[in-house]
Amino acid sequence: MRLATAAAAAATTVIGAGAAAVAAGRYAGGVALRPSPQVPFPGDARLTVHATGDETVTLTRSLASLRPGTYGLAGPGCHAIVGPVVQHTPHPADTVVRRLERITHGTLPPGTRVRITPQVYAGNPRDALGLTCADVDVPGELGSLPAWFLPGVRDTWVITVHGIGTTREHPMVLMPFLHRHRLPVLALAYRNDAGAPQTPDRLHHLGDSEWRDLDAAIRYAVRYGARDVVLHGWSAGATMALRAAARSGMRDRIRGLVLDSPILDRHATVRALAAARNVPRALLPLAVRAAEGHTGLPVDRPGDAVDPDTLTA
């Protein structure tokens, strides 16, 4: 009896340890792989608005606030577009002055906490840029994927795929350029985006499963008149484009890839995301396993899902 009791206790301990490991993996993966536009990227600090003028905004001095170019400035209930650093305006040594292009919504009173974001524009191409666009639904293996379609006269479509921690608003930075060259654009939202189907684990797998939504977008483009497509992706979206170019049954329709910072080292990326979000160092390997689909939850592709290679154009 004592032997049976000891065996049962040992089994309970093993099961408990296993359940704890699964729970820890879910926690680590959730923190690292459910980033949102409201969460800073690794290396990005929250900034404070120190002052605003008619055409300038003064921010905390940091590597982020000193970046050249045009960016979004996002905070609770507010969004603005900031341009280059203004060099000759007097300001305290611990601040930086940037050109304030416009406040999209909300206000920027002193003390507002904000962050620099690559999502320059907010809303949709019609309201933000004055471009004709239609809201369309792309049939995907998990359900309908919302997308914006911007018409053009060419028969080569550009399909844009945003990166981790951003939304389909990010590719709006390119849309005026593509519109001037009369290229049709399909800006895709994919699994786990707002308005798109959610997976059981709700985690981003850095393109390893998400590429199938891009495959669905290629099929949609061909079905509605595209002869060829160019895939333009950022970060995980760029990795999705690489996966589609290698695996899609429609890869012969892909005429070009534009890859901005593709994720080539998944382990390093997950570790950086987890560390930036203060996941304990001991749990970093579990975050990496979560990216690979080892969380104890069902994989994000259902067992009876349609194989993209069997779909017709």
Side-chain angles (χ1 to χ4, degrees):
M1 183 64 68
R2 290 179 181 176
L3 182 60
T5 301
T12 301
T13 300
V14 171
I15 292 172
V22 169
R26 291 179 184 176
Y27 162 76
V31 173
L33 298 168
R34 290 178 189 159
S36 75
Q38 286 72 47
V39 178
F41 286 97
D44 280 0
R46 292 287 184 181
L47 308 174
T48 299
V49 175
H50 292 268
T52 56
D54 290 339
E55 297 182 351
T56 62
V57 58
T58 304
L59 303 168
T60 306
R61 189 178 187 87
S62 72
L63 291 176
S65 61
L66 287 167
R67 290 174 185 161
T70 300
Y71 292 90
L73 197 66
C78 64
H79 181 275
I81 301 174
V82 294
V85 173
V86 178
Q87 298 291 349
H88 304 297
T89 299
H91 58 87
D94 61 348
T95 65
V96 60
V97 179
R98 298 191 72 112
R99 190 168 70 214
L100 180 61
E101 303 288 354
R102 71 173 183 266
I103 297 177
T104 308
H105 62 261
T107 59
L108 293 175
T112 302
R113 298 285 282 172
V114 295
R115 73 181 185 93
I116 296 285
T117 170
Q119 294 202 172
V120 175
Y121 301 104
N124 60 63
R126 185 186 308 104
D127 297 335
L129 303 171
L131 298 177
T132 299
C133 73
D135 294 298
V136 300
D137 291 316
V138 174
E141 67 175 358
L142 301 180
S144 294
L145 306 166
W148 292 317
F149 174 67
L150 286 71
V153 300
R154 298 178 182 268
D155 59 7
T156 295
W157 291 25
V158 177
I159 303 177
T160 61
V161 200
H162 68 83
I164 191 168
T166 59
T167 71
R168 58 177 164 148
E169 292 173 314
H170 180 204
M172 283 199 284
V173 294
L174 280 180
M175 289 178 185
F177 170 82
L178 298 173
H179 176 72
R180 288 196 301 271
H181 288 79
R182 302 192 294 176
L183 288 160
V185 179
L186 187 66
L188 182 70
Y190 51 87
R191 61 190 67 191
N192 293 321
D193 281 349
Q198 303 296 298
T199 61
D201 63 6
R202 303 293 180 94
L203 300 183
H204 203 301
H205 293 280
L206 308 182
D208 277 0
S209 56
E210 293 84 0
W211 75 269
R212 294 192 292 270
D213 292 344
L214 179 53
D215 176 80
I218 298 171
R219 296 174 185 278
Y220 179 93
V222 171
R223 185 178 301 124
Y224 286 97
R227 181 176 179 179
D228 305 303
V229 298
V230 173
L231 308 181
H232 191 135
W234 291 258
S235 177
T239 306
M240 289 167 61
L242 286 171
R243 295 278 190 272
R247 302 175 182 175
S248 172
M250 303 293 287
R251 57 186 174 273
D252 61 313
R253 298 298 189 111
I254 300 173
R255 287 293 176 266
L257 299 174
V258 183
L259 308 176
D260 189 329
S261 306
I263 294 173
L264 302 178
D265 188 333
R266 179 171 57 187
H267 289 191
T269 299
V270 174
R271 285 176 177 272
L273 288 169
R277 290 165 175 82
N278 300 315
V279 172
R281 186 179 182 86
L283 298 185
L284 294 184
L286 297 179
V288 173
R289 287 176 58 80
E292 296 170 340
H294 304 305
T295 60
L297 289 171
V299 295
D300 64 352
R301 185 180 184 181
D304 58 352
V306 176
D307 184 341
D309 290 342
T310 68
L311 297 176
T312 61

